[in-house]
Amino acid sequence: MRYQLLFFLFTFTLFSQENSSQKYFPFNDLCNREVDYSDCEKEILKNEILSLISPEIEKDIIEKMIDNKAALTFAFVYSPNNPIRKDIDIDFINDELKIKITKYLLELLPYPDNDFLEDNSKAKRFEFVFIKNLNNNLSIASDEVLKEMKYKSEFKFISRPYPIECKNSSDIGNCVNNYFSNHIVKNFRYPNKALRRGIQGKVECKFYIDKDGTIVIQELEGPDKLLEDEAERILKKIPKFVNGTIKGIPVKISFSIPITFKLD
């Protein structure tokens, strides 16, 4: 059993524009509440990062890659009617791109109408994983590719949520993995109707731990609703976690775990 922090990742062909097309942050002028704001936000950032990569930067990244990949991670804090705070955390193998991304973020203006946002500081963290494509050019891996690579985030600039049982653990990640595994085994109950009908398979469970530590189920995808309902019952029995934080600010953290139903 493993868990992972989910990120929106892309594949693209590099070209340099050097001109930012976005003026404000948050991106409320381009992303509205009728669409998935998070996906829209990340798509904009992907395009902006793409525009900052020159051929020289691309060459340097490819030369410095370890195991043919390189993770770009950055985190920052902002609040309504204020620009992004200057204490931006960013980790990457190319210093020039780090400088360009920092400059781009600091030049964004606060969106003039933040009425629907909570009146407090918010933290954001993004991770993009660069790889070489089949043409030996730089690209950013899709979520599917990263799963095939069994890529694991290093959780830079973030404090992971954890159950109270893991409070004193020296390895929070491993402790949380074991907690989910033990919780599933302890609460597992094969649905009688599924047994009689011979239904088995894996339910992919996507959920997040909210800012207050509660679990919020987002998506359950399995071979039959009977198994999905049982997976939901198991997940809903998870007690409150200690919430995750970015730069000390509570945030919601997404997880993805499988629950397997197998007949003997």
Side-chain angles (χ1 to χ4, degrees):
M1 179 67 61
R2 66 185 181 85
Y3 81 122
Q4 62 186 42
L5 186 65
L6 300 180
F7 302 96
F8 195 82
L9 301 143
F10 311 84
T11 300
F12 58 87
T13 300
L14 289 172
F15 62 94
S16 181
Q17 296 174 345
E18 292 292 341
N19 292 316
S20 173
S21 60
Q22 178 55 23
K23 183 177 181 181
Y24 301 108
F25 189 85
F27 301 139
N28 299 340
D29 52 333
L30 299 180
C31 307
N32 57 57
R33 284 171 286 181
E34 274 72 50
V35 299
D36 189 323
Y37 179 87
S38 179
D39 287 352
C40 178
E41 177 183 58
K42 292 163 188 171
E43 177 72 14
I44 291 172
L45 282 173
K46 180 267 296 187
N47 289 327
E48 295 294 351
I49 291 171
L50 170 61
S51 74
L52 298 174
I53 299 178
S54 66
E56 291 76 19
I57 291 176
E58 179 183 10
K59 182 175 182 293
D60 183 66
I61 293 171
I62 291 175
E63 290 177 350
K64 292 179 178 178
M65 279 182 168
I66 299 176
D67 295 329
N68 294 317
K69 63 180 180 293
L72 164 65
T73 311
F74 55 94
F76 57 84
V77 174
Y78 71 100
S79 57
N81 303 312
N82 286 288
I84 291 172
R85 249 171 38 185
K86 292 183 178 180
D87 57 331
I88 297 170
D89 290 321
I90 184 165
D91 183 80
F92 194 49
I93 57 176
N94 181 271
D95 289 335
E96 186 177 353
L97 185 59
K98 287 168 57 177
I99 292 171
K100 285 187 173 185
I101 292 173
T102 300
K103 182 174 182 291
Y104 159 70
L105 293 173
L106 292 178
E107 287 179 347
L108 290 172
L109 300 175
Y111 189 68
D113 182 9
N114 281 326
D115 291 342
F116 71 91
L117 292 175
E118 298 173 7
D119 189 20
N120 54 23
S121 294
K122 293 176 177 288
K124 293 283 187 176
R125 176 191 182 278
F126 298 92
E127 181 173 0
F128 299 94
V129 180
F130 290 87
I131 60 173
K132 286 190 292 186
N133 61 27
L134 295 177
N135 296 321
N136 208 37
N137 295 320
L138 197 64
S139 66
I140 291 182
S142 67
D143 193 39
E144 292 73 19
V145 169
L146 288 182
K147 285 182 179 179
E148 292 176 3
M149 294 168 56
K150 297 182 179 180
Y151 174 80
K152 293 183 179 180
S153 171
E154 295 184 11
F155 288 85
K156 293 175 182 176
F157 311 133
I158 194 166
S159 172
R160 297 181 246 197
Y162 59 86
I164 195 65
E165 292 87 340
C166 294
K167 181 178 181 179
N168 298 317
S169 173
S170 60
D171 187 342
I172 292 292
N174 186 57
C175 186
V176 173
N177 288 343
N178 291 334
Y179 176 85
F180 281 137
S181 296
N182 294 335
H183 174 84
I184 291 169
V185 170
K186 180 181 177 181
N187 294 279
F188 187 87
R189 187 175 65 202
Y190 215 113
N192 287 330
K193 288 185 178 179
L195 279 172
R196 291 195 299 267
R197 293 164 54 185
I199 299 171
Q200 62 180 337
K202 183 185 295 183
V203 178
E204 295 292 342
C205 309
K206 295 182 180 180
F207 59 94
Y208 63 84
I209 305 298
D210 212 344
K211 297 176 184 179
D212 64 354
T214 57
I215 181 172
V216 179
I217 299 172
Q218 295 175 291
E219 182 181 353
L220 301 169
E221 185 175 351
D224 190 274
K225 190 174 186 304
L226 288 171
L227 303 187
E228 292 174 351
D229 288 345
E230 174 59 13
E232 181 178 8
R233 185 191 67 80
I234 293 172
L235 293 177
K236 284 185 174 180
K237 292 179 72 67
I238 296 175
K240 263 192 174 185
F241 272 39
V242 175
N243 62 279
T245 63
I246 296 174
K247 298 177 76 67
I249 296 175
V251 293
K252 59 183 182 182
I253 305 295
S254 296
F255 289 82
S256 176
I257 62 173
I259 298 180
T260 302
F261 297 80
K262 187 175 181 180
L263 296 170
D264 294 331

